Amino acid sequence: MSEWTDAIVGERMTVDNQFTDRVAASRFSSQEWGLIMTATEFEIEDAADPDDARIVADTSSLPAIMPELENVRSQVAAMGGAAGGDGGGSGGSGGGLVDSIKGALGLGGSGGSGGGSDEELDAAERLVQEYADELQAHLEDKGKWEQVRLAYQE
């Protein structure tokens, strides 16, 4: 099923660029958003029905990475940056973000399976679904939605 997401990489990059303002206005920094997106998968619900099909975010892995958001905030603060919606800059965090992602995926780091606040998780889930809605709207505007919907079914 990953073929359908591979086929829309360019469209996702466009939506990513358009979505930066929404991320900047959110409670999450661009680094935190990147971590949230690594833990999110996208599916097409009701793919067989052209009228009801829609992209939905599978956020079932988000609770596992929520503690890592605090690590990202700590690293940004230690580097003298703001923990809020930074949204820009060169992003050279010296591997800290990579280490956080590895830890969230269970590939190293201290781990710990505590969760972030429910409010934080809800905010992340809402923002990810907004992204999914934006992605679908973009695909529809570009006339690619039907092709993507059919590719998902294969």
Side-chain angles (χ1 to χ4, degrees), residues 33-143:
W33 176 244
L35 182 59
I36 289 167
M37 289 299 282
T38 63
T40 303
E41 305 249 345
F42 293 99
E43 301 170 349
I44 299 180
E45 186 176 75
D46 295 325
D49 185 343
D51 295 326
D52 290 335
R54 65 180 222 134
I55 297 177
V56 294
D58 174 359
T59 58
S60 60
S61 295
L62 279 183
I65 63 99
M66 295 310 287
E68 291 301 317
L69 292 183
E70 187 57 39
N71 290 342
V72 171
R73 286 185 185 127
S74 297
Q75 291 167 2
V76 169
M79 293 171 51
D86 176 10
S90 64
S93 63
L97 180 59
V98 173
D99 290 340
S100 293
I101 293 170
K102 283 182 176 179
L105 297 174
L107 301 174
S110 59
S113 60
S117 73
D118 288 343
E119 181 182 321
E120 187 117 300
L121 179 60
D122 290 344
E125 289 173 339
R126 279 192 308 273
L127 192 59
V128 168
Q129 188 55 53
E130 286 178 33
Y131 177 91
D133 294 341
E134 187 82 18
L135 177 59
Q136 181 172 343
H138 176 77
L139 292 169
E140 289 171 353
D141 289 347
K142 293 291 183 180

